[in-house]
Amino acid sequence: MVELILLDGSGRRFPLNEGEELMVGVAARCSVRLSALDVSRAHALLTSRNGKTIVLDLGSTNGTFVNGKRVKEAELAPGDSLRFSSVMAQVLPATSDQSGNGNLRETGVRVAGPEAGELGAKSPSSDQMPVVVHESLEWLLSHWSNGGRSAQEEFVEWLVGQRGLRGAAILQDVDGEIVVAAAQGEIGAVLEDPACLELVRGSGEGAGSTGGISVTIAHQAVLAMKAPELPWLVLVPRLAMPDFAELSLVVRLLGVARRLDRGR
């Protein structure tokens, strides 16, 4: 077990046990609730799975930083420093009784005190990621912790059952053969269409980590996404396309699911 310790002068500690998560932000439902104006409503998520502590930035306006480097997703080690925009924190073993700025390991990052809170202080809080995502993430994380089916299967079920998509599938080209790692919902006709196969076999140019390619396959609007070192993610929206913040979260969660499966 590790603890997230805030270095904002409050000394607040938040234990993170195996299989649990901490949502960081200014919204009332966040388990680590901050008050800084430059922190987003749902700013970041810390999870503990299979002995690993992961931080995910949830599309925040002013960023999440690990040891001074802005990240979208990162694995944390005990002693690592975190910054949620201007709010400093540190991850330490739960048995540690360290608290305060003197315990921050040498990272070359100056700890911001009350007089240094001007970083983004006038920036508005972000509404990019609705807080309702918090509840659906609890479902996904609890299923991942059970270790039954593959994490990728649980992930596409989350997309359809919890995020309201009509269908979702994870595909990749393995030596010229298109392999479906996981699929859920109304996706069969899309997967059987030759246009889908050609898309996956292609170079993937134009499909960004959070943008994707909007195409029509099997007479359905489809969003196909390909991030570096990840398989294709094919989504069939029910009504409107997911927004930028949710697509960013979806891509990072796919990366986590892949790592979980490889670790099993």
Side-chain angles (χ1 to χ4, degrees):
M1 184 177 78
V2 298
E3 283 185 323
L4 177 70
I5 300 177
L6 297 183
L7 303 178
D8 58 356
S10 68
R12 288 190 292 163
R13 294 167 173 257
F14 299 87
L16 181 60
N17 297 307
E18 174 69 19
E20 295 182 349
E21 51 88 12
L22 293 173
M23 180 77 76
V24 181
V26 300
R29 295 182 182 180
C30 289
S31 46
V32 182
R33 191 177 182 189
L34 305 177
S35 58
L37 295 177
D38 54 327
V39 173
S40 299
R41 293 179 65 237
H43 195 103
L45 180 75
L46 277 74
T47 66
S48 178
R49 294 290 181 275
N50 299 325
K52 296 181 178 181
T53 303
I54 304 293
V55 61
L56 297 172
D57 182 84
L58 300 179
S60 67
T61 298
N62 296 310
T64 300
F65 300 79
V66 176
N67 297 330
K69 179 181 179 181
R70 186 167 184 168
V71 300
K72 292 183 177 179
E73 172 191 335
E75 182 176 344
L76 301 173
D80 280 346
S81 68
L82 283 166
R83 177 158 62 83
F84 308 107
S85 190
S86 65
V87 178
M88 295 293 299
Q90 188 176 20
V91 173
L92 291 173
T95 55
S96 172
D97 58 2
Q98 299 180 27
S99 62
N101 297 349
N103 301 309
L104 181 65
R105 76 177 189 179
E106 294 298 326
T107 60
V109 181
R110 182 173 65 88
V111 176
E115 73 285 354
E118 65 273 8
L119 176 61
K122 296 183 179 180
S123 300
S125 294
S126 171
D127 288 329
Q128 287 180 306
M129 182 58 60
V131 178
V132 71
V133 173
H134 176 67
E135 283 81 3
S136 67
L137 277 175
E138 288 182 346
W139 182 95
L140 178 61
L141 296 173
S142 66
H143 280 65
W144 275 351
S145 65
N146 289 335
R149 295 181 298 165
S150 78
Q152 292 175 91
E153 290 174 336
E154 302 285 6
F155 172 64
V156 295
E157 182 176 339
W158 175 76
L159 288 170
V160 175
Q162 301 293 318
R163 301 311 302 156
L165 294 174
R166 289 178 58 190
I170 300 172
L171 302 90
Q172 60 188 91
D173 187 346
V174 179
D175 298 327
E177 180 182 359
I178 305 304
V179 176
V180 180
Q184 186 78 210
E186 302 173 30
I187 195 76
V190 171
L191 298 180
E192 294 172 0
D193 194 303
C196 181
L197 302 181
E198 290 304 315
L199 179 64
V200 176
R201 288 194 178 102
S203 64
E205 294 181 0
S209 60
T210 57
I213 302 174
S214 296
V215 293
T216 300
I217 300 178
H219 307 291
Q220 299 185 73
V222 171
L223 180 62
M225 305 173 67
K226 177 68 174 72
E229 302 180 2
L230 290 178
W232 280 89
L233 180 61
V234 178
L235 307 176
V236 181
R238 189 168 298 279
L239 295 173
M241 291 287 183
D243 63 18
F244 177 86
E246 180 144 9
L247 291 178
S248 299
L249 175 62
V250 163
V251 169
R252 295 196 291 278
L253 289 173
L254 174 58
V256 173
R258 291 273 287 176
R259 286 199 299 275
L260 288 174
D261 284 342
R262 288 172 179 172
R264 289 177 175 175

